[in-house]
């Protein structure tokens, strides 16, 4: 019921806003001037032509063909289109993202329900609805970009993996990579996450079996009464085990925290257990390995990660990018990060172990200062294109004074430690480390500051936080609604013109 309710609520704004956008901006805009003509070539049966300015694979175009094929009989019957290519209008192609946004909301709901079965339907529905309002995801629902399709494919892959459908998950992973190349990192992260869950669950079962055997050896019955007591104890132990099994094995509990509190202990346990069940893991996750091999083959064939515009998307050591991600993500979940209670909780986590905490804090500050000093890249697109909000954030905040990029470092560091602290309440530390590496692997090579790139890592973060109060969710929802109204108003009703180029320009993320 909650899944249907979530989809219905999302449809309530997807449909009218899509109509409004297509009415005011009927022609392709920004990156759409590359994507829409390319998709229309596919509609005409021309699968060999390729626009050299397009950097991503054609996965979105094939999804669009499926949608157009489903809609064409209806449009032909209503005399809205006399041929298949005619049905591939800008509005129809954009609508695929509206459909995917609704599907994405249902996937988010299912993931929440799977990760947190104790959460009631109303809170799960509210949580999923709020996440669908995430500004970067919401805005590009109404344009023909790859972001919504990319997120939907990645979340579908993750949900399938959580449900132990590994072959299906790998196929969805291949589709996600076919939409956007960097999703290969998220496919590996999803597989790695599941390996962590499986190995830690195996270790937990082994520990419980050993404890049970030891307990039985200590309590061998010598009388009938003793036998009754032992069987009673075993029944109690079994009932407690069943109660524990209601909680997903990958959801961190207080008991498991004490057993696997150290990162090194978790790594050791995973390595040893993985070796013990290596054949089971190899069979289960071999589909992911084949997708990875196909991607490596693509890299050798293409000579680069991106397909087109290779000179503008050269892999660069943009370490400052993960600093920007942390602060943007913290601000877009401000009710979680900037309450007095949480700030004190973050600092208390350092104070409990002052030696280790001080070392980590000092190391993070030094690494962040080095990142913004030596590895802060100003891409030509960022400096020249005043249609993007990042253009103004760069000029008015980061570059307003030479010292500003250094003054922001404490906020970057706090944001990352706040993210780690929130995840540490629900996930194992090895999972958090894998998440950080995956996020870094996606963002650091990207020379251009694009907040769109932050969407998938943000979703993986927020889905694994232990939000359980409506107040925080409502505050985040209000924040997103305000941002969405502002950005869409600026996009639709505040156009401007360039002196050196004809046409209407609009503000965009």
């Amino acid at each position: 019921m909650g899944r249907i309710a979530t989809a219905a609520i999302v449809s309530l704004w997807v449909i009218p806003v899509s109509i409004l956008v297509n009415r005011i901006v009927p022609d392709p805009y920004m990156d759409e001037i590359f994507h829409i003509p390319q998709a229309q070539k596919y509609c005409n049966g021309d699968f060999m032509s390729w626009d050299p300015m397009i950097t991503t694979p054609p996965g979105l175009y094939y999804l669009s063909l499926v949608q157009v094929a489903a809609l064409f009989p209806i449009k032909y019957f209503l005399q809205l289109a006399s041929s298949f290519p005619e049905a591939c209008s800008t509005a129809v192609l954009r609508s695929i993202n509206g459909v995917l946004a609704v599907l994405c909301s249902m996937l988010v709901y299912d993931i929440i329900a799977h990760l947190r079965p104790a959460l009631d339907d109303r809170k799960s529905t509210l949580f999923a609805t709020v996440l669908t309002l995430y500004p970067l995801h919401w805005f590009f629902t109404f344009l023909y970009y790859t972001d919504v399709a990319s997120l939907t494919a990645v979340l579908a892959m993750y949900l399938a993996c959580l449900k132990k459908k590994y072959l299906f998950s790998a196929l969805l992973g291949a589709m996600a990579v076919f939409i956007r190349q960097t999703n290969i990192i998220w496919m590996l992260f999803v597989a790695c996450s599941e390996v962590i869950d499986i190995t830690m669950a195996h270790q937990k079962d082994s520990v419980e079996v050993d404890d049970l055997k030891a307990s039985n050896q200590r309590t061998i019955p010598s009388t009938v009464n003793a036998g009754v007591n032992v069987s009673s104890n075993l029944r109690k132990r079994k009932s407690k085990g069943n109660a524990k099994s209601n909680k997903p094995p990958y959801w961190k509990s207080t008991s498991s925290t004490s057993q696997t509190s150290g990162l090194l202990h978790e790594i050791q346990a995973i390595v040893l257990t993985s070796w013990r069940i290596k054949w089971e893991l190899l069979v289960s996750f071999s589909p992911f390995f084949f997708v990875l091999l196909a991607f490596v083959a693509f890299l050798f064939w293409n000579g680069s990660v991106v397909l087109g515009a290779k000179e503008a998307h050269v892999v660069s050591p943009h370490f400052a990018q993960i600093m920007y991600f942390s602060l943007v993500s913290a601000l877009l979940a401000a009710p979680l990060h900037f309450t007095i209670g949480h700030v004190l909780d973050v600092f208390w986590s350092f104070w409990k172990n002052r030696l280790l905490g001080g070392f980590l804090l000092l190391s993070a500050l030094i690494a962040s200062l080095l990142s913004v000093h030596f590895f802060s890249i100003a891409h030509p697109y960022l400096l020249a294109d005043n249609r993007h909000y990042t253009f103004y954030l760069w000029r008015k905040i980061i570059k307003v004074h030479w010292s500003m990029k250094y003054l922001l470092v404490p906020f970057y560091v706090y944001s990352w430690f706040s993210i780690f602290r929130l995840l540490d309440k629900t996930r194992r530390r090895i999972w958090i480390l894998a998440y950080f590496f995956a996020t870094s692997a996606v963002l650091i090579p990207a020379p251009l500051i694009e907040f769109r790139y932050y969407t998938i890592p943000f979703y993986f973060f927020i889905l694994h936080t232990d939000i359980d109060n409506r107040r925080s969710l409502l505050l985040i929802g209000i924040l997103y609604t305000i941002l969405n109204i502002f950005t869409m108003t600026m996009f639709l009703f505040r156009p401007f013109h360039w002196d050196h180029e004809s046409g209407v320009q609009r503000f965009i993320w």
Side-chain angles (χ1 to χ4, degrees):
M1 183 62 185
R3 185 192 301 113
I4 303 301
T6 303
I9 293 170
V10 173
S11 300
L12 289 177
W13 68 65
V14 166
I15 295 173
V17 176
S18 295
I19 294 172
L20 182 64
V21 169
N22 285 307
R23 181 170 296 176
I24 297 177
V25 191
D27 299 321
Y29 180 70
M30 196 71 79
D31 287 4
E32 287 185 323
I33 64 174
F34 310 116
H35 291 303
I36 288 178
Q38 185 64 52
Q40 290 171 339
K41 287 180 182 178
Y42 278 38
C43 289
N44 283 308
D46 181 6
F47 296 97
M48 301 306 294
S49 299
W50 187 258
D51 189 329
M53 291 302 295
I54 297 176
T55 61
T56 51
L60 178 62
Y61 313 142
Y62 284 103
L63 289 176
S64 300
L65 285 178
V66 173
Q67 185 195 26
V68 173
L71 292 177
F72 177 67
I74 301 174
K75 299 194 74 171
Y76 184 82
F77 178 77
L78 296 176
Q79 297 183 345
L80 297 175
S82 59
S83 64
F84 191 85
E86 190 179 340
C88 289
S89 64
T90 299
V92 170
L93 291 174
R94 284 173 176 172
S95 68
I96 182 66
N97 279 335
V99 174
L100 290 173
V102 175
L103 176 60
C104 187
S105 69
M106 299 169 70
L107 291 170
V108 169
Y109 177 88
D110 285 343
I111 291 172
I112 293 169
H114 191 92
L115 292 175
R116 304 178 63 185
L119 206 63
D120 62 73
D121 280 350
R122 289 186 177 182
K123 282 187 178 179
S124 297
T125 301
L126 177 61
F127 197 173
T129 303
V130 167
L131 287 188
T132 312
L133 286 169
Y134 176 70
L136 279 304
H137 171 68
W138 185 89
F139 186 89
F140 291 101
T141 295
F142 310 107
L143 297 175
Y144 195 61
Y145 276 60
T146 60
D147 299 85
V148 176
S150 175
L151 175 65
T152 304
V154 168
L155 292 182
M157 168 185 64
Y158 185 45
L159 180 62
C161 197
L162 288 175
K163 293 184 175 182
K164 314 298 181 186
K165 300 176 181 178
Y166 301 128
L167 177 59
F168 186 45
S169 178
L171 291 174
L172 289 169
M175 185 177 75
V177 176
F178 199 50
I179 295 171
R180 182 176 285 174
Q181 301 94 312
T182 52
N183 287 338
I184 190 68
I185 301 298
W186 296 116
M187 188 201 74
L188 295 175
F189 169 72
V190 165
C192 180
S193 176
E194 186 64 15
V195 168
I196 292 171
D197 296 337
I198 290 174
T199 53
M200 297 308 289
H202 268 268
Q203 192 214 24
K204 181 181 178 183
D205 291 341
S206 299
V207 170
E208 288 183 351
V209 169
D210 292 340
D211 289 346
L212 183 60
K213 288 181 180 178
S215 176
N216 287 342
Q217 289 174 358
R218 288 194 300 268
T219 57
I220 296 177
S222 57
T223 64
V224 175
N225 290 335
V228 172
N229 289 335
V230 169
S231 63
S232 175
N233 288 335
L234 287 175
R235 282 195 297 271
K236 289 180 180 178
R237 183 184 296 270
K238 185 176 181 180
S239 65
K240 289 180 180 179
N242 290 337
K244 287 180 181 179
S245 66
N246 291 330
K247 197 164 191 172
Y250 38 78
W251 201 260
K252 189 173 178 182
S253 63
T254 53
S255 60
S256 65
T257 304
S258 60
Q259 294 173 4
T260 58
S261 57
L263 177 62
L264 293 178
H265 177 79
E266 290 180 1
I267 294 173
Q268 180 186 25
I270 288 170
V271 170
L272 294 177
T273 307
S274 296
W275 179 254
R276 185 158 48 86
I277 60 171
K278 55 184 176 295
W279 298 117
E280 176 188 339
L281 294 177
L282 184 63
V283 171
S284 297
F285 293 94
S286 58
F288 295 96
F289 180 70
F290 289 125
V291 176
L292 177 61
L293 283 181
F295 181 77
V296 172
F298 159 77
L299 289 180
F300 277 104
W301 169 77
N302 187 55
S304 174
V305 175
V306 297
L307 284 173
K310 296 178 182 179
E311 65 285 349
H313 295 83
V314 178
V315 172
S316 308
H318 195 183
F319 287 94
Q321 185 89 268
I322 58 172
M323 302 294 108
Y324 308 145
F325 163 77
S326 67
L327 184 56
V328 170
S329 297
L331 291 174
L332 289 175
L336 301 180
H337 294 277
F338 298 106
T339 63
I340 295 176
H342 179 69
V343 172
L344 292 175
D345 184 44
V346 171
F347 281 99
W348 174 246
S349 66
F350 287 102
W351 187 257
K352 285 190 299 184
N353 190 340
R354 288 184 287 278
L355 183 61
L356 178 61
F359 173 76
L360 290 175
L361 186 59
L362 182 62
S363 300
L365 287 169
I366 293 173
S368 300
L369 286 168
L370 292 175
S371 296
V372 299
H373 183 76
F374 292 107
F375 303 103
S376 182
I377 298 175
H379 195 280
Y381 289 177
L382 173 69
L383 301 177
D385 198 338
N386 67 343
R387 294 171 294 183
H388 292 282
Y389 293 113
T390 48
F391 171 87
Y392 301 96
L393 292 174
W394 180 264
R395 292 186 61 189
K396 303 296 183 182
I397 296 179
I398 296 177
K399 300 299 289 184
V400 68
H401 189 267
W402 68 268
S403 63
M404 181 55 70
K405 65 179 182 180
Y406 305 109
L407 294 176
L408 289 171
V409 163
F411 296 97
Y412 299 148
V413 171
Y414 170 79
S415 297
W416 262 122
F417 279 117
S418 178
I419 290 171
F420 292 153
R421 185 60 181 165
L422 288 168
L423 290 175
D424 190 54
K425 295 178 180 179
T426 61
R427 304 300 296 184
R428 300 182 185 278
R429 292 179 182 178
I430 185 64
W431 188 96
I432 300 172
L433 184 63
Y435 167 77
F436 176 75
F437 283 155
T439 302
S440 300
V442 170
L443 296 182
I444 290 175
L448 183 61
I449 302 174
E450 277 272 21
F451 290 168
R452 294 186 293 124
Y453 301 160
Y454 303 167
T455 299
I456 293 177
F458 178 84
Y459 267 75
F460 272 113
F461 154 66
I462 201 73
L463 283 169
H464 294 90
T465 54
D466 195 16
I467 306 176
D468 58 358
N469 66 86
R470 286 187 175 87
R471 181 175 175 274
S472 295
L473 288 172
L474 288 173
L475 288 174
I476 294 174
I478 292 170
L479 172 64
Y480 290 175
T481 302
I482 293 172
L483 285 173
N484 291 336
I485 291 173
F486 172 78
T487 54
M488 189 55 69
T489 300
M490 295 295 290
F491 177 70
L492 296 177
F493 305 113
R494 292 292 184 271
F496 62 98
H497 296 83
W498 283 342
D499 295 334
H500 62 280
E501 185 176 315
S502 61
V504 176
Q505 308 303 329
R506 299 178 184 275
F507 294 105
I508 195 172
W509 276 108

